[in-house]
């Protein structure tokens, strides 16, 4: 008769390393996708905010005959809220005042410049860093 060797159960070191490597890769891919989804959502809010303000400015012009002159977004929005063309709270950038992750000098926020006959609303998109502008129709 031979000696009895019980069957060993469990995972080998190679199996554990392969499984942990696969999990690390899946987590990394998930984090990148989640980050891009957040950036896209914030960019969509930026675009819709500027479009809403553009529509309010167009209504303001149709009633008063001219756009609001100036170069301050805060003053513009305060005037549109006061006149009843926008409702409170004022539209703000999702990362208002926070620094750009990909650059050292740019902070997020909305900008406005306008005269009696023309205006430009602008913001920087987070996903690709491009300047997004909305002008009078």
């Amino acid at each position: 008769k031979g000696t009895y060797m019980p069957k060993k159960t469990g995972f080998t070191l190679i199996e554990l390393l392969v499984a942990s490597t696969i999990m690390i890769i899946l987590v990394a891919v998930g984090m990148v996708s989640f980050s891009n989804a957040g950036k896209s959502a914030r960019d969509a809010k930026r675009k819709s905010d500027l479009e809403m303000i553009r529509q309010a400015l167009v209504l303001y012009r149709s009633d008063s005959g001219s756009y609001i002159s100036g170069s301050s977004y805060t003053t513009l929005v305060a005037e549109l809220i006061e006149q009843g063309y926008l409702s409170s709270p004022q539209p703000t950038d999702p990362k208002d005042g926070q620094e750009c992750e990909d650059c050292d000098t740019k902070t997020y926020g909305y900008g406005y410049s306008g005269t009696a006959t023309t205006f430009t609303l602008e913001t920087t998109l987070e996903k690709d860093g491009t300047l997004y502008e909305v002008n009078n129709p």
Side-chain angles (χ1 to χ4, degrees), residues 19-75:
S20 63
T21 301
I22 290 171
M23 285 192 296
I24 289 170
I25 290 170
L26 290 174
V27 167
V29 168
M31 288 178 67
V32 168
S33 296
F34 181 74
S35 173
N36 285 337
K39 288 178 183 180
S40 295
R42 287 187 293 273
D43 283 346
K45 182 186 182 316
R46 288 178 180 103
K47 290 177 180 180
S48 69
D49 282 351
L50 293 187
E51 181 60 29
M52 179 177 54
I53 295 167
R54 184 195 70 77
Q55 291 174 357
L57 277 167
V58 169
L59 287 174
Y60 180 90
R61 181 175 185 246
S62 71
D63 291 344
S64 69
S66 65
Y67 294 116
I68 298 172
S69 297
S71 60
S72 169
Y73 172 78
T74 307
T75 305

Side-chain angles (χ1 to χ4, degrees), residues 73-86:
Y73 172 78
T74 307
T75 305
L76 164 75
V77 172
E79 179 70 21
L80 290 173
I81 289 173
E82 182 181 312
Q83 297 294 323
Y85 293 97
L86 282 178

Side-chain angles (χ1 to χ4, degrees), residues 7 16 22 28 33 37 44 49 52 56 64 71 85 90 92 95 101 126-127:
K7 185 176 179 183
L16 290 173
I22 290 171
S33 296
D49 282 351
M52 179 177 54
S64 69
S71 60
Y85 293 97
Q90 80 177 38
T92 58
K95 292 185 106 177
E101 295 172 4
E126 188 175 352
K127 190 166 184 180

Side-chain angles (χ1 to χ4, degrees), residues 100-116:
C100 172
E101 295 172 4
D102 301 329
C103 54
D104 296 328
T105 58
K106 178 67 181 162
T107 56
Y108 291 105
Y110 299 144
Y112 171 74
S113 62
T115 65

